[in-house]
Amino acid sequence: MVAKPEHAAKPAPVLRCGRFTFDLARPLVMGILNVTPDSFSDGGRYLDRERALAHARQMRDDGADLIDIGGESSRPGALPVAEEDELARVMPLVAALATEGIAIAVDTRKPAVMREAVAAGAAMINDIAALTAPGAIEACAGVDVGVCLMHMQREPQTMQAAPSYDDVVVEVRDFLAARAAACVDAGIARERIALDPGFGFGKTLAHNLRLLRSLGTLAAMGYPVVAGLSRKGSLGEITGRSVDERMPASLAAALCAVLHGAAIVRVHDVRATVDALKVWAAVEGGA
Ligand code: 7PJ
C-alpha cells in the first residue's frame, strides 16, 4: 500500500450528526439547496416548495450524504434576512426531508433558526459565522447536532471589498482552532465538529488557492475539513466561465480539495461529483 501523505493522516474517523454517524474513510458529499431569491448560483430556482423537495430527493438519490439547506444568501454584497422570513423558507423543507430520513444541514447564523432546525430533526448546523452570534454555541450544545464552523473575513456585504491577510493559512487555522475550542468548552463533542476555510468569504483568488493547497494544514488539527468551491467566483476567474458553465471547474476543484485533505465537499452538482469521487476512490483503492 502506498503511504498516505502526511497531511491526510489525522481526521477523526467519524463525524457524528444527530442520528447519523458518518464514516470518514471516504469523502462525503454535501448537496446544496438554496431557498433564497438571490443566491449567486441557484437563487430563485427552489423557492417553490415541491420543486425544492424534488431537488433534495434527487440529490439524495444521486449519492449526497447530506443536504445543506440555506435560507439566507451569503453571496458577496447580499443583505441580511429577517428571522421569520428565514424560518418560513427553511423549516418546512427541513421538517419534511428530515422525516424522510435524509441527513439535513441547515446553513444559518441565527440561534433561533438553529434551535428550530434541531427540533425538526436537522443533523447539522452549518454556520458561515462559526457560531459567533450570541447564543449560537448554546443552541448547538446539549443536543447531538453536528456543527460546521466556517471562516469568513468581515460580513457578506463587505467581505470581497479588499480581503487582506498577513498569512491567510495561519489566520484561518488559528480562527478555526479557537472556534473549535470554544465549542468543545461548551460541551460539543469533538466528533461533532467540522471545519471549513470558507472559500470566497473575504478571500481573493490567490487566498483561495493557497488555502486549497493547505487543506492538509487544517485537517492536521484533527477535525474533518469541509470544502465549498462549487461554482464560486474563483473558478470563474480561472476559467472565464459564467456561473452556469462552471460544473467542470467545480468537479476539478472538488477533486483537488479531496486530494489535499478535505473530508466533505459542498457542491451543487451531486451526481457528477459522486462519479468523479468514485473514479478517484477506485484508483486509490487499487493502490
Ligand atoms: C459555503 C457555505 C461554504 C460552508 C456558502 C454557496 C455560497 N457553507 N455556504 N462552506 N458557501 N460551510 O452556496 O456557494 O463554502 S453560500
Side-chain angles (χ1 to χ4, degrees):
M1 208 178 109
V2 174
K4 280 208 168 166
E6 182 64 22
H7 65 249
K10 294 197 192 98
V14 297
L15 175 65
R16 295 194 192 282
C17 298
R19 62 203 140 113
F20 301 90
T21 298
F22 294 107
D23 180 356
L24 298 174
R26 65 166 180 87
L28 304 180
V29 174
M30 179 189 265
I32 300 169
L33 181 63
N34 282 318
V35 282
T36 55
D38 58 345
S39 283
F40 80 105
S41 147
D42 50 4
R45 201 173 296 170
Y46 301 113
L47 280 178
D48 177 79
R49 187 157 308 154
E50 285 312 314
R51 209 162 160 185
L53 289 170
H55 184 58
R57 292 176 188 129
Q58 184 66 55
M59 288 195 284
R60 184 263 323 268
D61 293 345
D62 288 341
D65 298 285
L66 285 147
I67 307 283
D68 187 38
I69 304 179
E72 175 176 48
S73 173
S74 45
R75 64 145 203 230
L79 295 170
V81 169
E83 186 176 296
E84 51 285 12
D85 293 340
E86 193 178 331
L87 284 168
R89 286 176 189 171
V90 164
M91 287 311 303
L93 298 170
V94 175
L97 294 166
T99 303
E100 292 176 29
I102 299 178
I104 299 298
V106 176
D107 193 337
T108 187
R109 298 193 271 175
K110 297 188 181 71
V113 177
M114 294 172 187
R115 283 192 299 271
E116 293 223 13
V118 169
M124 173 182 257
I125 298 300
N126 173 30
D127 185 0
I128 63 167
L131 304 183
T132 50
I137 287 191
E138 292 77 5
C140 297
V143 289
D144 59 1
V145 73
V147 297
C148 177
L149 308 174
M150 198 195 81
H151 175 274
M152 167 167 62
Q153 188 177 72
R154 300 207 296 272
E155 288 287 302
Q157 269 172 278
T158 54
M159 66 191 181
Q160 289 303 97
S164 140
Y165 300 84
D166 286 333
D167 184 321
V168 68
V169 176
V170 169
E171 288 178 43
V172 168
R173 184 199 60 195
D174 289 354
F175 171 83
L176 293 175
R179 295 312 300 157
C183 287
V184 171
D185 286 348
I188 299 178
R190 292 182 64 93
E191 287 188 337
R192 288 168 48 204
I193 299 172
L195 304 179
D196 185 332
F199 291 107
F201 286 83
K203 282 117 189 158
T204 63
L205 172 59
H207 294 140
N208 288 327
L209 292 175
R210 244 207 96 205
L211 283 168
L212 183 46
R213 284 191 293 268
S214 306
L215 288 178
T217 302
L218 304 182
M221 288 192 281
Y223 297 95
V225 172
V226 179
L229 287 145
S230 187
R231 301 186 190 170
K232 280 187 179 170
S234 283
L235 303 182
E237 280 189 65
I238 294 167
T239 61
R241 304 288 184 203
S242 65
V243 167
D244 292 339
E245 299 175 320
R246 291 180 194 160
M247 199 250 267
S250 300
L251 290 180
L255 211 46
C256 287
V258 167
L259 286 166
H260 281 282
I264 305 174
V265 288
R266 182 181 176 279
V267 303
H268 298 87
D269 301 290
V270 170
R271 189 158 73 147
T273 305
V274 167
D275 279 1
L277 292 176
K278 276 183 182 167
V279 173
W280 172 79
V283 173
E284 292 304 301

